[in-house]
Amino acid sequence: MVNKTKTTANVSFTHEDFAALLDKYDYHFSPGDIVAGTVFSLEPRGALIDIGAKTAAYIPIQEMSINRIDQPEEVLQNNDTREFFILTDENEEGQLTLSIRRIEYMRAWERVRQLQQEDATVRSLIFATNRGGALVRIEGLRGFIPGSHISTRKVKEELVGEELPLKFLEVDEDRNRLVLSHRRALVERKMNKLEVGEVVVGVVRGIKPYGAFIDIGGVSGLLHISEISHDHIDTPHNVFNVNDEVKVMIIDLDAERGRISLSTKQLEAEAGDMVRDPQIVYAGAEEMAAKYREQMNTPPASMTVTIATELSLEEPVEA
């Protein structure tokens, strides 16, 4: 009979060895990384997220959305899996802080840059006003409309809650600047129905030393002092008063800058008619505008001569 002796290996495995083994198979996480995670537990003011680290990561409620929320359940549910942005390094307890808001911000800026490149018109509600203008949200980002780019007769404070069409003026993620224009959106829409050389009826809404601002169907055009008359004018106040109804001709449409340039000088049959009696100019406005359009569509004499010369030099085509 053979005696079998059972031997046991003397294995020493310390806590340090166990930690080193975990480190070997642990992922390395850094602030700025975007990782997949699963909601492990919802807390009153945040949530614990399993991202494969030794300790569950934490996302505070203020980092759950680009918009304000009151409870984590508005965004997350237990066992949800989604992407998270690593916001900070591990704290003293080895816990990472996560963010969804940062991902939404990055994607929102990418979207508005694309909309700007497409020169798109967007619509948004005004949620607040200040001395400089009005505040809106575009793709969750806070945008600003300067007062000079708000085209409405309403008092600025009465605009809160009103939806406006807007065009992009500035999109700068580095400076966190998103500037928009209501005036540009209106001018573009109006420009689609206007033509250079067209006579329109407007109302004088403002007079400056350099010209008069004319409201034409809800958008503003500039009648520069140099385009009022062929005669010299010291100030537009010598010709116009605020709320005067006027006839003007469109001489330029600049959709990119949201500007409409106007003229009454081009409607004068005789130099100085606008200074002497504007009604004479208004009475013959359509006739003078027709002549202006004819001149626009007629090539210069030098060009006509050049074309005729080139044609005469062509060799006859043989039958």
Side-chain angles (χ1 to χ4, degrees):
M1 184 173 182
V2 179
N3 290 327
K4 293 182 180 180
T5 304
K6 185 177 181 181
T7 60
T8 303
N10 185 18
V11 178
S12 176
F13 198 73
T14 65
H15 288 293
E16 289 76 12
D17 294 331
F18 183 68
L21 186 62
L22 285 177
D23 288 338
K24 179 179 179 182
Y25 291 100
D26 193 21
Y27 292 104
H28 180 68
F29 299 101
S30 301
D33 289 346
I34 294 177
V35 297
T38 302
V39 179
F40 177 71
S41 174
L42 294 176
E43 306 288 326
R45 302 301 297 170
L48 295 174
I49 311 297
D50 180 6
I51 61 171
K54 289 179 291 185
T55 304
Y58 182 72
I59 178 169
I61 191 169
Q62 63 268 24
E63 289 296 331
M64 289 186 181
S65 176
I66 198 172
N67 301 308
R68 177 186 171 85
I69 62 171
D70 296 318
Q71 297 180 355
E73 289 82 359
E74 295 177 42
V75 176
L76 299 174
Q77 300 294 325
N78 282 323
N79 298 318
D80 280 354
T81 298
R82 59 167 300 153
E83 288 183 324
F84 295 89
F85 181 92
I86 298 180
L87 199 60
T88 67
D89 271 320
E90 296 178 351
N91 59 17
E92 60 275 6
E93 298 176 355
Q95 189 174 65
L96 294 162
T97 301
L98 306 179
S99 175
I100 296 171
R101 184 172 68 97
R102 190 63 64 89
I103 294 176
E104 290 180 341
Y105 264 118
M106 293 188 312
R107 290 176 179 167
W109 280 109
E110 181 180 351
R111 177 61 177 152
V112 295
R113 281 194 295 269
Q114 180 184 355
L115 290 170
Q116 183 193 37
Q117 290 172 0
E118 296 170 357
D119 196 27
T121 298
V122 295
R123 299 188 68 88
S124 182
L125 291 174
I126 293 177
F127 69 85
T129 60
N130 55 32
R131 291 180 61 186
L135 301 175
V136 294
R137 293 198 182 279
I138 306 294
E139 298 288 323
L141 300 173
R142 192 163 101 159
F144 177 67
I145 313 171
S148 60
H149 280 268
I150 300 175
S151 293
T152 177
R153 297 179 186 177
K154 285 189 177 182
V155 178
K156 190 166 53 181
E157 289 71 21
E158 295 179 357
L159 291 174
V160 175
E162 184 163 336
E163 185 180 72
L164 300 180
L166 303 166
K167 302 288 284 188
F168 291 95
L169 291 180
E170 182 179 357
V171 175
D172 190 336
E173 182 179 1
D174 294 335
R175 298 170 62 196
N176 197 33
R177 282 176 59 85
L178 180 58
V179 186
L180 302 111
S181 173
H182 175 229
R183 176 167 59 83
R184 265 201 65 199
L186 288 185
V187 169
E188 181 183 84
R189 186 164 63 187
K190 186 70 177 179
M191 281 183 180
N192 292 334
K193 301 176 182 178
L194 298 175
E195 296 180 2
V196 172
E198 180 182 356
V199 174
V200 292
V201 176
V203 177
V204 178
R205 294 300 181 194
I207 300 175
K208 300 291 183 182
Y210 52 84
F213 287 97
I214 314 297
D215 183 306
I216 49 174
V219 296
S220 181
L222 176 63
L223 176 57
H224 194 270
I225 189 171
S226 64
E227 285 294 333
I228 293 176
S229 175
H230 284 89
D231 276 5
H232 174 75
I233 295 173
D234 292 324
T235 171
H237 285 91
N238 293 342
V239 182
F240 302 110
N241 293 304
V242 173
N243 294 326
D244 280 355
E245 187 173 274
V246 298
K247 272 189 178 181
V248 291
M249 186 176 72
I250 298 168
I251 57 172
D252 187 54
L253 295 168
D254 188 340
E256 184 175 346
R257 300 171 68 185
R259 293 182 180 178
I260 301 175
S261 299
L262 308 169
S263 177
T264 50
K265 178 173 77 174
Q266 304 299 334
L267 301 178
E268 288 184 323
E270 299 290 338
D273 279 351
M274 275 301 296
V275 179
R276 292 186 293 270
D277 187 355
Q279 295 305 320
I280 294 176
V281 177
Y282 301 155
E286 281 73 15
E287 182 182 349
M288 293 301 296
K291 293 180 180 179
Y292 179 87
R293 291 192 296 271
E294 186 178 348
Q295 291 175 354
M296 281 177 52
N297 297 325
T298 303
S302 58
M303 184 181 296
T304 305
V305 171
T306 301
I307 294 173
T309 302
E310 289 177 350
L311 290 174
S312 66
L313 292 176
E314 290 182 359
E315 294 182 2
V317 179
E318 295 183 0

